[in-house]
């Protein structure tokens, strides 16, 4: 019922504005009446979109509100003049009258319009603020609950505490990728970093910085030497609600990473990247250790007092109070960290957006449409090679013969046909149906033929850390595994370790499980023919 009343009031407020300005034009009031009405129209517009302007305030404070007002004022001024001129045009057809001089009556008219619309707007806010929302309680029956506007869920936090094992999400995008570097084969040795930091590495970092890291932080580095932690927040108040105002992003929420040991440094060192002016330097800059920073938004270990360091989350780019929150110890900070719950997948019939399988197309078209747009990702890198070698745009018979001689095996015809159309790069036909309700994305790209190499050779290009066995020694017959692509922790391999046609292996987590959990495809021709492309627009039933 309240939503219907609110809707009626919105219509009443809108009609009041339309009629008032059109009537001003019809009656020949001064055009200046629109200029006077513009601030009132802007405020009424903001009240009409109260929730959106609340979010603008939370996101950027007065600066964002000011910018939004500056953007809205000219729009409301233009709208006001459109309504005024409509009324003026109608009057010219019915009873033309000259424009009157601007006077107190015009101000009173604007004020009356504003008061009527203001009353409607405040009533709408109150009605919509007390509206009920339906929530699924996770049982067989849905429960209707009321929730005030200010308590609507903006951040649905998972209340389970983190552990060192659940803290990291991945090693991070900027971590060195020895697989990819070795595949590019730029003529230099590739160092493979350890995933976890050793006690010796931690001790060396502490000696370099002249501090001792908290035990809880040292435990995290023993799991992984920095990396992506995902969206993490800490509460700004006791018993925080599910709203942004009650939480503060940790580890610079846009980056959401813990810096690796080699990148740990003080605030002074961080600021000296762009300024040497003492006036720009924050207080105690030499005793603040940066765990992560996005410009002035930093998560810090504060060693400015004796004993265990505090943890502070600050924004040095903001005027006023710089420190948003401080924790007495790192353990207290870690206990407070929370991760938002993952959103449930929205119902989406992805199968309606799939193209025909590649095998349904005419054979002479398959190879050319298999690839995505743009050149393959190795072109620019190849331009900088000392030997001047760069991948060809398309593989020819000479390149195919050279590649087969280098790897000591004959490539499947289906693979060679693809490379003849384009010599590696992003793949458009990349999805494979996996049962009635799911699909796989076996690989995103394939390397150019110049970089196809055996896993044994790839392994020999890498300097492994102490105590880690090279792949050509730990994986049986690695010289019969041919790498078609390597990126991050994923591999695409041809397996020639059996008689006859090779298998296609797709490995998603090579660091953790080697090739033991690879997805295996025995018939490469059939595999390629089943691949589909994800279309941007829905397909007609006749195209499926």
């Amino acid at each position: 019922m309240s939503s219907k009343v609110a809707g009626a009031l919105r219509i009443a407020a809108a009609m009041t504005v339309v009629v008032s300005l059109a009537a001003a034009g019809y009656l020949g009031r001064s055009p200046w009446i629109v200029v006077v009405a513009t601030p009132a129209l802007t405020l009424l517009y903001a009240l009409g979109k109260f929730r959106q302007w609340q979010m603008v305030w939370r996101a950027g404070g007065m600066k964002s509100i000011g910018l939004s007002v500056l953007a809205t004022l000219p729009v409301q001024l233009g709208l006001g003049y459109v309504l005024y001129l409509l009324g003026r045009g109608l009057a010219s057809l019915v009873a033309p009258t000259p424009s009157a001089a601007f006077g107190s009556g015009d101000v009173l008219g604007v004020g009356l319009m504003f008061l009527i619309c203001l009353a409607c707007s405040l009533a709408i806010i109150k009605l919509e603020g007390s509206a009920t929302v339906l929530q699924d309680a996770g049982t067989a029956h849905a429960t209707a609950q009321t929730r005030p506007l200010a308590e609507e869920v903006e951040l649905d936090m998972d209340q389970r505490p983190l552990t060192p094992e659940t803290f990291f999400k991945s090693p991070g995008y900027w971590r060195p990728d020895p697989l990819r570097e070795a595949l590019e084969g730029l003529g230099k040795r590739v160092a493979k970093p350890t995933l976890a930091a050793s006690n010796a590495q931690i001790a060396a970092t502490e000696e370099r910085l002249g501090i001792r890291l908290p035990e809880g932080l040292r435990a995290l580095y023993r799991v992984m030497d920095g990396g992506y932690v995902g969206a993490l927040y800490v509460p700004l108040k006791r018993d925080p609600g599910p709203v942004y105002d009650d939480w503060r992003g940790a580890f610079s929420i846009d980056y959401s990473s813990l810096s690796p040991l080699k990148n740990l440094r003080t605030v002074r060192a961080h600021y000296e990247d762009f300024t040497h002016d003492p006036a720009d330097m924050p207080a105690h800059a030499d005793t603040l250790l940066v765990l992560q920073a996005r410009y002035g938004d930093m998560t810090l270990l504060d060693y400015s007092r004796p004993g265990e360091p505090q943890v502070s989350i600050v924004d040095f780019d903001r005027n006023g109070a710089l420190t948003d929150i401080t924790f007495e110890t790192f353990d207290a900070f870690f206990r407070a960290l929370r991760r938002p719950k993952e959103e449930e997948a929205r119902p989406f019939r992805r199968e309606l957006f799939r193209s025909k399988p590649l095998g349904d197309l005419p054979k002479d078209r398959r190879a050319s449409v298999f690839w995505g747009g743009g050149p393959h990702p190795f072109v620019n890198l190849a331009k900088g090679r000392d030997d001047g070698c760069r991948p060809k745009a398309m593989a020819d018979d000479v390149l195919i013969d050279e590649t087969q001689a280098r790897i000591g095996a004959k490539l499947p015809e289906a693979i060679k046909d693809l490379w003849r159309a384009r010599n590696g790069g992003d793949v458009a036909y990349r999805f494979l149906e996996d049962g009635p309700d799911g699909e796989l994305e076996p690989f995103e790209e394939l390397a150019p033929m110049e970089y196809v190499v055996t896993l044994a050779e790839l392994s020999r290009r890498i300097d492994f850390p102490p105590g880690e066995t090279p792949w050509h020694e730990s994986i049986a017959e690695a010289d019969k595994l041919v790498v078609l692509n390597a990126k991050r922790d994923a591999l695409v391999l041809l397996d020639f370790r059996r008689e006859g046609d090779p298998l296609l292996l797709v490995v998603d987590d090579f660091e953790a499980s080697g090739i033991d959990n690879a997805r295996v495809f025995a018939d490469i021709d059939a595999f390629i023919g089943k691949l589909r492309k994800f279309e941007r627009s829905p397909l007609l039933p006749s195209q499926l």
Side-chain angles (χ1 to χ4, degrees):
M1 180 64 181
S2 60
S3 61
K4 292 182 179 180
V5 175
L9 289 173
R10 283 188 184 277
I11 295 173
M15 291 304 300
T16 299
V17 171
V18 171
V19 171
S20 298
L21 292 174
Y26 184 85
L27 297 173
R29 306 309 304 172
S30 170
W32 286 102
I33 195 172
V34 179
V35 178
V36 174
T38 297
L41 294 176
T42 301
L43 178 57
L44 293 173
Y45 174 80
L47 290 173
K49 294 184 174 294
F50 183 69
R51 284 292 295 151
Q52 290 91 328
W53 283 67
Q54 265 192 327
M55 296 304 296
V56 171
W57 170 263
R58 289 173 180 168
M62 281 303 300
K63 181 179 179 181
S64 294
I65 290 291
L67 292 174
S68 298
V69 169
L70 289 176
T72 305
L73 278 170
V75 175
Q76 297 303 314
L77 179 64
L79 177 62
Y81 269 116
V82 168
L83 296 173
Y84 175 86
L85 291 174
L86 286 174
R88 195 81 181 124
L90 181 61
S92 67
L93 296 175
V94 178
T97 58
S99 296
F102 184 77
S104 59
D106 296 313
V107 177
L108 291 175
V110 171
L112 179 61
M113 176 197 71
F114 176 72
L115 290 175
I116 293 172
C117 294
L118 178 63
C120 292
S121 298
L122 294 177
I124 290 167
I125 293 171
K126 182 174 179 61
L127 287 168
E128 292 183 344
S130 59
T132 59
V133 293
L134 291 177
Q135 291 186 329
D136 184 2
T139 64
H141 301 284
T143 303
Q145 298 180 342
T146 61
R147 184 187 292 264
L149 182 64
E151 295 180 3
E152 288 185 359
V153 174
E154 298 172 354
L155 276 176
D156 190 8
M157 288 296 181
D158 187 341
Q159 295 304 320
R160 292 175 296 179
L162 298 180
T163 66
E165 291 70 32
T166 61
F167 177 71
F168 291 104
K169 301 285 282 185
S170 72
Y173 182 78
W174 296 109
R175 188 180 181 87
D177 184 1
L179 272 174
R180 187 61 170 255
E181 292 180 25
L183 184 67
E184 291 163 7
L186 300 182
K188 62 180 181 180
R189 303 293 301 172
V190 177
K192 183 177 183 295
T194 57
L195 190 63
S198 65
N199 288 332
Q201 289 174 303
I202 295 173
T205 300
E206 291 174 331
E207 183 177 359
R208 170 174 64 85
L209 297 170
I211 51 91
R212 180 175 175 83
L213 298 174
E215 287 300 325
L217 182 57
R218 295 169 114 241
L220 295 179
Y221 279 116
R222 292 189 191 101
V223 173
M224 192 178 294
D225 185 12
Y228 180 65
V229 301
L232 290 177
Y233 293 82
V234 292
L236 293 175
K237 57 188 286 189
R238 189 182 298 274
D239 298 324
V243 294
Y244 285 103
D245 282 351
D246 291 358
W247 296 86
R248 173 64 159 91
F251 298 102
S252 301
I253 198 67
D254 287 351
Y255 291 175
S256 299
S257 297
L258 173 64
S259 294
L261 286 170
K262 66 182 180 63
N263 291 347
L264 289 182
R265 55 181 181 162
T266 64
V267 168
R268 176 174 295 279
H270 180 84
Y271 265 73
E272 285 176 348
D273 286 345
F274 52 87
T275 181
H276 291 281
D277 187 347
D280 294 334
M281 202 67 63
H284 308 294
D286 289 317
T287 59
L288 300 174
L289 187 68
V290 181
L291 299 181
Q292 184 53 260
R294 181 186 182 276
Y295 303 106
D297 185 350
M298 302 183 184
T299 303
L300 306 171
L301 284 178
D302 184 353
Y303 287 87
S304 62
R305 66 173 191 173
E308 187 169 353
Q310 295 178 319
V311 177
S312 294
I313 303 179
V314 306
D315 189 350
F316 290 121
D317 292 334
R318 208 174 57 222
N319 294 324
L322 301 179
T323 302
D324 287 330
I325 188 169
T326 296
F327 296 87
E328 286 299 307
T329 64
F330 183 84
D331 287 344
F333 165 70
F334 191 78
R335 286 193 299 269
L337 288 170
R338 291 294 182 271
R339 201 186 303 279
K341 293 180 180 177
E342 294 185 4
E343 294 184 5
E344 294 183 4
R346 297 180 180 179
F348 177 61
R349 294 187 62 190
R350 189 179 178 101
E351 68 274 7
L352 296 180
F353 294 80
R354 295 184 186 132
S355 70
K356 295 178 181 179
L358 187 62
D360 287 3
L361 299 179
K363 192 169 184 179
D364 59 350
R365 287 190 56 213
R366 296 175 192 174
S368 60
V369 301
F370 171 80
W371 301 101
H376 53 69
F378 297 87
V379 168
N380 291 332
L381 292 168
K383 290 178 181 178
R385 288 180 58 144
D386 293 337
D387 57 9
C389 176
R390 71 178 66 178
K392 296 179 179 179
M394 295 177 289
D396 53 23
D397 290 341
V398 173
L399 177 57
I400 292 173
D401 291 342
E402 290 175 349
T403 302
Q404 292 181 144
R406 188 176 66 255
I407 63 176
K410 184 177 180 179
L411 294 168
E413 288 299 322
I415 299 291
K416 290 189 286 188
D417 286 343
L418 296 178
W419 267 308
R420 285 190 178 102
R422 202 178 93 178
N423 187 25
D426 292 337
V427 171
Y429 279 78
R430 65 206 307 176
F431 299 104
L432 186 71
E433 291 189 43
D434 184 30
D437 300 320
E439 64 185 11
L440 299 173
E441 187 175 357
F443 47 79
E444 298 178 0
E445 65 182 30
L446 292 176
M449 292 195 78
E450 289 88 341
Y451 299 118
V452 171
V453 66
T454 66
L455 184 60
E457 173 59 25
L458 191 75
S459 173
R460 293 188 181 98
R461 297 175 180 176
I462 296 174
D463 292 329
F464 289 81
E468 187 171 331
T469 305
W471 302 321
H472 62 278
E473 297 178 9
S474 62
I475 297 176
E477 298 183 280
D479 58 330
K480 294 183 179 181
L481 292 168
V482 175
V483 182
L484 304 184
N485 202 62
K487 187 176 182 180
R488 291 296 163 192
D489 214 14
L491 286 173
V492 182
L493 303 164
L494 288 176
D495 186 351
F496 289 91
R497 295 179 297 178
R498 68 170 190 175
E499 294 294 328
D501 294 334
L503 303 172
L504 182 70
L505 307 184
V506 178
V507 184
D508 295 321
D509 194 2
F510 185 60
E511 180 78 27
S513 57
I515 63 172
D516 293 339
N517 294 325
R519 296 197 301 272
V520 181
F521 302 95
D523 190 333
I524 293 176
D525 283 340
F527 163 78
I528 293 174
K530 292 177 181 177
L531 291 170
R532 295 175 183 257
K533 180 170 63 172
F534 185 78
E535 302 284 2
R536 291 289 182 182
S537 57
L539 298 173
L540 298 174
S542 61
Q543 296 175 287
L544 293 175

